[in-house]
Amino acid sequence: MAAAAAAALLVSTVGQAGAASPTLRSLAEAKGIYFGTALTQGNLSNSTLTAVAGTQFDMVTPGNEMKWDTTEPSNGTYNFGPGDQIVAFATAHGMRVRGHNLVWHSQLPSWVTSLPTSQVQGAMEAHITTEATHYKGQVYAWDVVNEPFNDDGSLRQDVFYNAMGSGYIADALRTAHAADPNAKLYLNDYNIEGTGAKSNAMYSLVQSLKAQGVPIDGVGFESHFILGQVPSTMQANMQRFAALGVNVAVTELDDRIQLPASSANLAQQATDYATVVKDCLAVSGCVGVSQWGVGDADSWIPSAFSGYGAATMYDNNYQPKPAYTATATALGSGSTAPPTTAPPTTTPPTTTPPTTAPPTTGAAGSCKVANAVNAWNNGLTENITLTNTGSSTVNGWSLGFTLAAGQTITSGWNAAYTPSTGAVTATNLSYNGTLAPGGSTAIGFQATHTGNASAPTAYTLNGVACSIG
């Protein structure tokens, strides 16, 4: 396609999302985050696709070009040409690059999987060092270890784990940091977007790595969703990771629909995309969102999930869908100050609630609590949604509840908790102290237990009993 024709198409594409409307990248940057996409080497020859990619997005993740089977197909022989092409496109369009990835159980050449156990660590360290050094200064962040967990929260028993145990993850992070000290280092996985066994395992791993002084800067939430199934706990889950002192990012977003997609499906998809963006914007330390692919025509979904597709913001002709408009609206609306791109340096602040007395919330029943507990072995997380069902705004809140015997809070998010056992009071932080009538806020905590993982049976908001449900 001639350059003039491509430019005309791009004007048409953007125009359908709103005449002279700002791009996703400019809207995201105004909020202090990025909005990215994934590209493969083959995509670069499609001028329609690249016109949209180069205009709408400000971060690029290579789909396959930096994975082990491409970059080191045989032991000690490296091929960085495909990855270099992605980097060159990004540079030409003022985009940054998320390196993806250095260590993964999949897309490994056979020489790696057939190595004697005693040689795996040396091969892994050499691969990380060589690739991270090659792209030093050109990559914003690396997915250092990709998809380390099974869905039940156990570590995958791949070639790296079998040779080195769980310590391979810390070793990989340290090796990457030594090769490129300025790159942000991530762990990346799917099905960790909401709270559950897998996200709890990732949380515990990050907590352990931080305690050991291992260089880790972020956690990537892949976010390969099925229509209508964005977890309600996603925001609170991201916040608890950010409270550990790491960034979080949505790294591979798509939202697959059983084909053919109806107008109702596309409307739900728009809601799903907007929800993800709003969740990120609400979390201090969420640095950005990346869609996996540019449009439905280059999405991986149809080839991986039979009967599903239409998973992105752009259709097969790279025209914007309702999800595009909803995403742009989510990025451009709201009065909340944009989140900082730097991770918190401490655990959640123990912000003192306002000293002025909050308006009375009325009689019992003017607040409602919904709670959900996920327990394992001797640990649990509880996610609490607090809703003001009264007619007056609450300015500054304290939520009281009593933990079951044997439970001790070890960390929390979106509130300050004191004490850690027995009768606990959770008080608002600086950004969520106001609850308008009908308004709600999501808080939560992680705790240990000695066998009783049940949730509290009663809650009070500023001393007034709340209903539960």
Side-chain angles (χ1 to χ4, degrees):
M1 181 182 292
L9 177 64
L10 179 60
V11 170
S12 171
T13 300
V14 175
Q16 287 196 25
S21 58
T23 61
L24 295 177
R25 65 187 289 169
S26 65
L27 289 168
E29 288 165 6
K31 292 288 189 180
I33 66 173
Y34 64 78
F35 211 103
T37 190
L39 293 174
T40 64
Q41 185 180 14
N43 295 154
L44 300 181
S45 61
N46 184 331
S47 59
T48 306
L49 181 157
T50 55
V52 175
T55 301
Q56 290 290 333
F57 303 101
D58 60 357
M59 184 75 72
V60 176
T61 305
N64 296 298
E65 289 69 17
M66 292 185 183
K67 292 173 181 174
W68 200 317
D69 58 352
T70 297
T71 55
E72 194 183 3
S74 59
N75 196 347
T77 301
Y78 291 89
N79 173 29
F80 295 121
D84 290 348
Q85 289 189 41
I86 302 295
V87 173
F89 177 88
T91 301
H93 292 83
M95 310 163 87
R96 290 181 291 170
V97 177
R98 279 189 57 88
H100 180 79
N101 52 62
L102 293 172
V103 177
W104 188 30
H105 68 90
S106 186
Q107 290 185 238
L108 284 173
S110 59
W111 72 264
V112 178
T113 55
S114 60
L115 281 173
T117 299
S118 61
Q119 296 179 23
V120 171
Q121 182 172 1
M124 185 191 79
E125 292 175 351
H127 178 81
I128 293 172
T129 298
T130 303
E131 183 165 5
T133 299
H134 177 83
Y135 288 110
K136 184 177 181 179
Q138 302 177 75
V139 169
Y140 154 76
W142 276 109
D143 291 327
V144 178
V145 179
N146 195 53
E147 300 176 359
F149 287 104
N150 296 306
D151 279 341
D152 64 0
S154 61
L155 286 168
R156 292 181 185 273
Q157 295 187 14
D158 58 15
V159 62
F160 308 106
Y161 179 89
N162 290 338
M164 303 167 60
S166 61
Y168 86 89
I169 297 173
D171 186 60
L173 289 162
R174 290 188 175 107
T175 304
H177 180 70
D180 187 357
N182 294 322
K184 303 295 184 183
L185 306 182
Y186 276 69
L187 302 179
N188 191 56
D189 216 326
Y190 63 93
N191 286 351
I192 62 168
E193 296 80 17
T195 53
K198 193 172 186 179
S199 64
N200 290 339
M202 179 68 84
Y203 181 90
S204 296
L205 173 61
V206 174
Q207 194 173 42
S208 174
L209 292 170
K210 293 289 288 184
Q212 297 171 56
V214 176
I216 177 170
D217 300 296
V219 175
F221 297 80
E222 290 186 14
S223 303
H224 295 297
F225 292 130
I226 302 171
L227 186 72
Q229 295 186 22
V230 177
S232 61
T233 56
M234 185 168 181
Q235 178 184 326
N237 189 41
M238 288 196 296
Q239 185 62 58
R240 69 166 172 158
F241 278 89
L244 291 177
V246 295
N247 283 335
V248 293
V250 176
T251 54
E252 304 180 19
L253 176 63
D254 47 36
D255 194 34
R256 61 185 180 270
I257 298 172
Q258 190 165 9
L259 300 175
S262 66
S263 58
N265 292 154
L266 296 178
Q268 179 62 55
Q269 185 181 65
T271 298
D272 290 353
Y273 263 77
T275 297
V276 172
V277 171
K278 291 174 182 177
D279 283 350
C280 177
L281 290 174
V283 174
S284 175
C286 183
V287 295
V289 176
S290 288
Q291 177 176 264
W292 199 248
V294 176
D296 294 345
D298 61 283
S299 171
W300 72 298
I301 292 297
S303 62
F305 300 94
S306 178
Y308 285 81
T312 76
M313 292 181 289
Y314 289 91
D315 66 18
N316 285 322
N317 297 312
Y318 296 99
Q319 298 300 300
K321 293 155 60 178
Y324 174 96
T325 304
T327 298
T329 300
L331 287 169
S333 63
S335 58
T336 303
T340 175
T341 56
T345 56
T346 60
T347 53
T350 54
T351 306
T352 303
T355 55
T356 55
T360 176
T361 56
S366 59
C367 53
K368 182 175 71 173
V369 167
N371 55 18
V373 173
N374 288 286
W376 67 96
N377 297 331
N378 60 350
L380 64 87
T381 58
E382 179 173 352
N383 288 283
I384 299 169
T385 300
L386 169 64
T387 302
N388 176 11
T389 56
S391 58
S392 300
T393 297
V394 174
N395 292 307
W397 50 262
S398 294
L399 185 69
F401 53 89
T402 300
L403 295 175
Q407 292 185 14
T408 302
I409 294 176
T410 57
S411 62
W413 49 94
N414 295 345
Y417 299 85
T418 184
S420 59
T421 61
V424 175
T425 299
T427 55
N428 66 272
L429 301 183
S430 59
Y431 55 83
N432 63 354
T434 300
L435 287 177
S440 62
T441 188
I443 67 173
F445 58 85
Q446 182 163 326
T448 58
H449 67 84
T450 57
N452 186 349
S454 59
T457 57
Y459 299 83
T460 60
L461 174 63
N462 295 338
V464 178
C466 299
S467 61
I468 301 177

